[in-house]
Amino acid sequence: VAFSTADRVAVRAMVDDLVASLRGHGASAGGGVTRLVYSQAWAAAMAEIEGWLGSAGLEVRVDAAGSRFGRLAGERPQVVMSGSHVDSVVGGGAYDGALGVAMAACAVRWLRETAGRPRLTLEVLANCEEESSRFACNFWGSRAMLGLIRPGECDLLRDADGVTIGEAMSALGLVPDRIAEARRDDVCAYVEPHIEQGPLLERLGLTIGVVDRVVGVRQLRFELRGEAGHAGTIPMAARRDALTGAAELVLAGEALARDLGQPAVATVGALRVEPGGANQVPGRVDLTVDFRHVDERVLAGMEEELRRRAAALAAARGLELSVEPRLGQRAVDLDGRLCALLEASCRRAGVRWQRMPSHAGHDAQLLATRWPSAMLFLPCAGGRSHRPDERADMDDVVRGVEVLALTLHELAYEA
Amino acid sequence: VAFSTADRVAVRAMVDDLVASLRGHGASAGGGVTRLVYSQAWAAAMAEIEGWLGSAGLEVRVDAAGSRFGRLAGERPQVVMSGSHVDSVVGGGAYDGALGVAMAACAVRWLRETAGRPRLTLEVLANCEEESSRFACNFWGSRAMLGLIRPGECDLLRDADGVTIGEAMSALGLVPDRIAEARRDDVCAYVEPHIEQGPLLERLGLTIGVVDRVVGVRQLRFELRGEAGHAGTIPMAARRDALTGAAELVLAGEALARDLGQPAVATVGALRVEPGGANQVPGRVDLTVDFRHVDERVLAGMEEELRRRAAALAAARGLELSVEPRLGQRAVDLDGRLCALLEASCRRAGVRWQRMPSHAGHDAQLLATRWPSAMLFLPCAGGRSHRPDERADMDDVVRGVEVLALTLHELAYEA
């Protein structure tokens, strides 16, 4: 099996169209996308995806978490699954997640049309949630498939407006109490295509990254409480200003990651000040530090050091401090056999590739704990992601669909 | 004229009642008050004030900006005015502004009942706006009375929701085009009672501060623009993180005020991060630095130094910087004769007092540029202000009403 020139033209048109139409659901300023899980924009995107999957001749199904599946039944029930997530960050781009869903749909459609019924069953996955940008829910769709959502969790997780994830599900007709039914025990391989979200492939002039490891990610939420007051009448020496303390913590996180050197990163992306008036000494700040490393021991050391520095600066300023983990994703090795298959497909398709770790978190890292899993990275322009001007080159995307189709062929038809 | 024991009991009950009922308009968590100009809570408070002023036998009037006046006509048209503002900061206290209105109402009521018709006219002022906490409007009510609102300004000032101040006025039946009609040329003295909002009077065990100078206040709005991106995939060395730059600026402002020593203060009270997700490198931050000093030359030096440090850190981090003035209130001397009259009244009433500067901005500092003006400070518990637990002691308040009444008597009846 191989792509013809006509296949490439057809795939290019289809992927381009799918990405463009998904971009319309949750469109925000400057071409950006805000498509939070279980929002109206998300529901509209999922409805559109159901339409494509059906028109590609696949059997469409929704699981109890709201993820969508397009199934091409094979001779055997074991499932080779490929796809990615549909939700986005606030003000994110049109490619993160959505491109992987579109690529998997194109690859499976091409296989059905070219190679017919497979021996193993193929499924396209449109995963409901990956970004944790509405709820701190940590791979909600993948956890549902692995049966890892804890009893009562639907009532505990709340968004910024106080809505529980269970309420958000119910509003779309899903039944939170049935989430355990989303569990899958029939998957034998998972391959996730995704943009790199970093600058490496583009800089090296490569078309494909075969991801063999995903960095560990932790997020700690820090709350600093001092004393609010009037910005004029409280002498500097009498202040317990929560924001000056928070500023020290922001810089401590940056210094820690810089001192460790690559691949350590640390980011304060969310920070909120109360009461927030220009003429009020801040009495309370909460902020989240996101930090990442390929080595779990280094990650644990970073957490310890962040907690130590925060405690020291809070004590020095007379601030009260609370710290709570918001997210924890362990660094994980992906499946060696699948990585080797992806490399073989790159060779057969004649594309330039390399093995690399992922510095972003992905569903594959959680699914890899139960199912053989791997990822296929595509370059993204300037390494820009989680922003409105996120972009992938369509030549690369078509080559990526080809590599993915060859790999799925090997897995599902040559088994 | 002097207060009898019965007068003190009556005044205490009346002030207590007025403050408590005003607290109900815009009540927020923990006993706090959020009463932004031209909001529904503000309108309800003004309606209540009109009721009191009328029941105190005063002639009630609304000016084109929405400020309320309770008039006790004298033999001559020249006006001796006393009062304060009705708006509050977000999550502020029940005494800032409102107490001054209540005290002036009690003092003028007592004068009408005790001394009858004055030679000069007395007016109680319930000023519409002082805090600039909804619009950056810089003493809106006082500027209206001085004819200092610029043509078109009603269409330019917008709140955080994009509503113009003119639209907010129109929604309450006020006519923005007629704001020039609020100008007053008949005022010969202004005396503003207010809580100190700082810890000094309480620490010294004094009942009254006679304010002879108001510190200068400036606010600069800084915008830092870097590049948003994914918190995992952008190496530390490749980042242009707007928040780490902003953190340096927060600390630079604090260090500047600390190094200058008392009475210099500098505060970042408002800071907003975009895009704001925990897994996004911040691309944009805007923040406001509020800084104050009694000496205009020092204040100018602080502004220059803040701008210099911001430019240096932005350059070092590859960030774009914009700076714009948000507020500028010059340090000002209050009227010497009025201060001497207030001191004489303190002596006659037998209260402990001292002269002092105000470290907060007040309407009196702007009105003093046109009318002889002075202020009377009362202690506030723990120096706490602009917070829900702001509080003044009712014994002090009753003594303050007496000092104010004696002073207004001297100005309006002995003229």
Side-chain angles (χ1 to χ4, degrees):
Chain A
V1 292
F3 269 33
S4 67
T5 303
D7 289 335
R8 292 201 180 96
V9 170
V11 161
R12 184 190 187 99
M14 184 176 169
V15 176
D16 215 13
D17 181 55
L18 297 183
V19 170
S21 59
L22 275 187
R23 188 198 281 273
H25 302 298
S28 63
V33 171
T34 298
R35 197 163 52 227
L36 305 183
V37 67
Y38 305 138
S39 65
Q40 289 304 314
W42 175 95
M46 282 298 196
E48 175 130 12
I49 289 166
E50 289 192 12
W52 313 339
L53 296 175
S55 71
L58 307 178
E59 176 193 337
V60 180
R61 195 174 63 79
V62 183
D63 76 5
S67 295
R68 265 63 170 183
F69 302 85
R71 183 176 175 101
L72 175 59
E75 296 162 18
R76 304 192 202 152
Q78 290 102 312
V79 171
V80 173
M81 187 181 282
S82 181
S84 190
H85 60 96
V86 171
D87 66 317
S88 80
V89 297
V90 174
Y95 297 84
D96 179 358
L99 180 67
V101 179
M103 287 176 65
C106 289
V108 173
R109 179 186 188 134
W110 181 83
L111 285 169
R112 189 183 73 83
E113 291 171 355
T114 310
R117 187 181 188 202
R119 296 188 61 187
L120 303 193
T121 295
L122 276 166
E123 283 194 21
V124 177
L125 167 68
N127 200 332
C128 63
E129 204 285 333
E130 189 257 3
E131 298 286 4
S132 289
S133 45
R134 178 173 177 188
F135 303 94
C137 54
N138 205 351
F139 301 137
W140 188 248
S142 294
R143 287 204 290 134
M145 289 193 290
L146 298 189
L148 295 177
I149 292 176
R150 292 179 298 279
E153 207 174 338
C154 289
D155 301 323
L156 288 174
L157 291 170
R158 289 181 189 275
D159 68 9
D161 296 325
V163 177
T164 68
I165 197 165
E167 289 163 353
M169 292 173 71
S170 299
L172 297 180
L174 296 165
V175 182
D177 283 349
R178 300 181 60 176
I179 200 147
E181 297 173 16
R183 178 169 173 148
R184 298 289 296 264
D185 290 303
D186 55 350
V187 179
C188 64
Y190 176 66
V191 182
E192 180 170 2
H194 205 283
I195 53 169
E196 180 199 346
Q197 307 184 273
L200 198 64
L201 292 172
E202 185 183 70
R203 280 187 196 161
L204 298 173
L206 302 176
T207 302
I208 298 289
V210 173
V211 180
D212 54 10
R213 187 164 173 81
V214 181
V215 300
V217 183
R218 299 190 189 187
Q219 289 181 358
L220 292 175
R221 181 175 169 280
F222 291 88
E223 182 184 352
L224 289 160
R225 291 179 303 280
E227 191 162 25
H230 189 288
T233 56
I234 317 291
M236 297 305 287
R239 294 187 177 197
R240 296 195 299 126
D241 181 332
L243 181 57
T244 51
E248 289 184 333
L249 184 53
V250 167
L251 294 171
E254 181 187 47
L256 175 63
R258 282 185 173 173
D259 292 349
L260 283 168
Q262 281 248 51
V265 288
T267 310
V268 177
L271 182 148
R272 210 173 42 170
V273 184
E274 285 179 11
N279 55 1
Q280 292 168 295
V281 176
R284 187 177 163 282
V285 170
D286 65 75
L287 62 87
T288 306
V289 185
D290 174 301
F291 52 105
R292 304 177 188 221
H293 201 277
V294 289
D295 185 329
E296 278 293 323
R297 285 164 309 177
V298 176
L299 209 53
M302 290 176 81
E303 173 162 349
E304 191 181 322
E305 185 63 15
L306 280 169
R307 287 176 179 267
R308 196 190 60 73
R309 293 192 192 184
L313 71 87
R317 288 179 171 275
L319 301 172
E320 292 168 64
L321 172 71
S322 339
V323 191
E324 59 185 42
R326 188 180 179 275
L327 196 70
Q329 297 164 2
R330 291 184 64 81
V332 69
D333 284 317
L334 299 185
D335 185 71
R337 174 176 160 259
L338 287 180
C339 288
L341 272 181
L342 283 166
E343 291 182 298
S345 300
C346 287
R347 273 186 222 101
R348 283 176 54 201
V351 304
R352 288 167 49 83
W353 58 274
Q354 73 165 20
R355 286 202 178 212
M356 62 187 297
S358 168
H359 294 279
H362 293 289
D363 288 300
Q365 79 193 84
L366 179 64
L367 298 177
T369 61
R370 189 84 56 82
W371 309 334
S373 299
M375 293 191 75
L376 169 68
F377 268 0
L378 295 175
C380 69
R384 291 186 293 273
S385 184
H386 282 193
R387 353 186 322 176
D389 58 355
E390 180 182 272
R391 195 173 60 75
D393 183 275
M394 275 298 143
D395 288 335
D396 294 334
V397 170
V398 172
R399 306 297 276 170
V401 172
E402 183 168 358
V403 169
L404 179 62
L406 298 183
T407 305
L408 296 178
H409 187 270
E410 196 65 29
L411 288 166
Y413 291 80
E414 307 293 334
Chain B
V1 291
F3 270 33
S4 66
T5 303
D7 289 336
R8 292 201 180 96
V9 170
V11 161
R12 183 190 189 101
M14 184 177 171
V15 176
D16 215 13
D17 181 54
L18 298 182
V19 170
S21 58
L22 275 186
R23 189 198 281 272
H25 302 298
S28 63
V33 171
T34 298
R35 196 163 52 228
L36 304 182
V37 67
Y38 303 140
S39 65
Q40 290 304 316
W42 176 95
M46 281 299 197
E48 175 129 12
I49 288 167
E50 289 192 13
W52 311 340
L53 296 175
S55 70
L58 307 178
E59 176 192 338
V60 179
R61 195 173 63 79
V62 183
D63 76 5
S67 294
R68 266 63 169 182
F69 302 86
R71 184 177 176 100
L72 175 61
E75 294 161 19
R76 303 190 203 154
Q78 291 100 311
V79 171
V80 173
M81 189 182 280
S82 181
S84 189
H85 61 95
V86 170
D87 67 316
S88 80
V89 297
V90 174
Y95 296 84
D96 180 357
L99 179 67
V101 179
M103 286 175 66
C106 289
V108 172
R109 180 187 186 135
W110 181 83
L111 286 168
R112 189 184 74 83
E113 290 171 356
T114 310
R117 187 183 188 200
R119 295 187 63 186
L120 303 193
T121 296
L122 277 166
E123 284 193 20
V124 176
L125 167 67
N127 200 331
C128 65
E129 204 285 334
E130 189 258 2
E131 297 286 3
S132 288
S133 45
R134 179 173 176 188
F135 304 94
C137 55
N138 205 349
F139 300 137
W140 188 247
S142 294
R143 287 204 290 133
M145 289 193 290
L146 298 188
L148 295 176
I149 292 177
R150 293 180 298 279
E153 205 173 341
C154 289
D155 301 323
L156 288 174
L157 292 170
R158 288 181 189 275
D159 68 10
D161 296 326
V163 177
T164 67
I165 197 166
E167 289 163 353
M169 292 173 71
S170 300
L172 296 181
L174 297 165
V175 183
D177 284 349
R178 298 181 61 175
I179 200 149
E181 296 173 16
R183 178 170 172 148
R184 298 290 295 264
D185 291 302
D186 56 350
V187 179
C188 65
Y190 176 67
V191 181
E192 180 169 0
H194 205 283
I195 53 168
E196 179 198 346
Q197 307 185 273
L200 198 64
L201 291 173
E202 186 183 69
R203 280 186 196 162
L204 297 173
L206 302 176
T207 302
I208 298 289
V210 173
V211 180
D212 54 10
R213 187 163 172 82
V214 181
V215 299
V217 183
R218 299 190 190 187
Q219 289 180 358
L220 292 175
R221 181 176 168 280
F222 291 89
E223 182 183 353
L224 289 160
R225 289 179 303 279
E227 191 162 25
H230 190 288
T233 58
I234 317 291
M236 297 305 287
R239 295 187 176 196
R240 297 195 298 125
D241 181 333
L243 181 57
T244 52
E248 288 183 333
L249 184 52
V250 167
L251 294 171
E254 181 188 47
L256 175 62
R258 282 186 172 173
D259 291 349
L260 282 167
Q262 282 246 55
V265 288
T267 310
V268 177
L271 182 149
R272 209 173 41 171
V273 184
E274 287 179 9
N279 55 0
Q280 291 169 296
V281 176
R284 187 178 163 282
V285 170
D286 66 73
L287 62 87
T288 306
V289 185
D290 173 301
F291 51 106
R292 305 178 186 220
H293 202 275
V294 287
D295 185 329
E296 278 294 322
R297 286 164 309 178
V298 176
L299 208 55
M302 290 176 81
E303 173 160 349
E304 192 181 320
E305 186 62 15
L306 280 170
R307 286 176 179 268
R308 195 190 62 71
R309 294 191 192 184
L313 71 89
R317 289 180 171 273
L319 302 173
E320 292 167 65
L321 173 70
S322 337
V323 190
E324 59 184 42
R326 188 181 179 274
L327 196 71
Q329 297 164 1
R330 292 184 63 80
V332 69
D333 284 317
L334 298 184
D335 185 72
R337 176 177 157 257
L338 287 181
C339 288
L341 272 182
L342 283 166
E343 292 181 298
S345 300
C346 288
R347 271 185 225 105
R348 281 176 52 202
V351 303
R352 287 166 50 86
W353 58 275
Q354 72 164 22
R355 287 203 178 212
M356 62 187 298
S358 168
H359 294 279
H362 293 289
D363 288 300
Q365 79 194 84
L366 180 65
L367 298 176
T369 62
R370 191 82 57 81
W371 308 334
S373 300
M375 293 191 76
L376 169 69
F377 268 1
L378 295 175
C380 69
R384 292 184 293 272
S385 183
H386 283 193
R387 346 185 332 175
D389 57 357
E390 182 182 273
R391 195 174 60 75
D393 182 275
M394 274 299 143
D395 287 334
D396 294 333
V397 170
V398 172
R399 305 297 277 171
V401 172
E402 182 169 358
V403 169
L404 178 63
L406 297 183
T407 305
L408 296 178
H409 186 270
E410 196 65 29
L411 287 166
Y413 291 80
E414 305 293 332

